[in-house]
Amino acid sequence: MIRSENDFAQHVDYIHFNPVKHGYIEHAVDWAYSSIHRHIAAGMITRGWGWNCETKPDEYGER
């Protein structure tokens, strides 16, 4: 359940970062079918989103 705009943004980040987390790609923009491309086109995030992240193992993990 989405509880707030911030919660929604965290869910979107999780979805964008999930293929990176599981080792399928190196950068979120490398996933051709990701909604990240729409977010970039709309100016909501930059193409380099997540490239310099030093994520903790559970930062984008399931709870």
Side-chain angles (χ1 to χ4, degrees), residues 7-31:
D7 188 40
F8 175 76
Q10 289 178 347
H11 278 80
V12 171
D13 286 348
Y14 168 81
I15 291 166
H16 289 159
F17 196 74
N18 209 29
V20 177
K21 174 184 167 185
H22 290 285
Y24 298 124
I25 53 175
E26 189 172 339
H27 302 109
V29 296
D30 297 338
W31 196 254

Side-chain angles (χ1 to χ4, degrees), residues 2-61:
I2 303 297
R3 295 174 181 87
S4 66
E5 285 189 38
N6 185 49
D7 188 40
F8 175 76
Q10 289 178 347
H11 278 80
V12 171
D13 286 348
Y14 168 81
I15 291 166
H16 289 159
F17 196 74
N18 209 29
V20 177
K21 174 184 167 185
H22 290 285
Y24 298 124
I25 53 175
E26 189 172 339
H27 302 109
V29 296
D30 297 338
W31 196 254
Y33 306 104
S34 175
S35 63
I36 196 170
H37 303 289
R38 283 182 270 159
H39 289 237
I40 293 167
M44 297 167 72
I45 57 175
T46 64
R47 184 166 173 73
W49 178 90
W51 286 21
N52 295 322
C53 288
E54 290 186 24
T55 55
K56 299 175 183 87
D58 61 341
E59 187 171 340
Y60 292 108

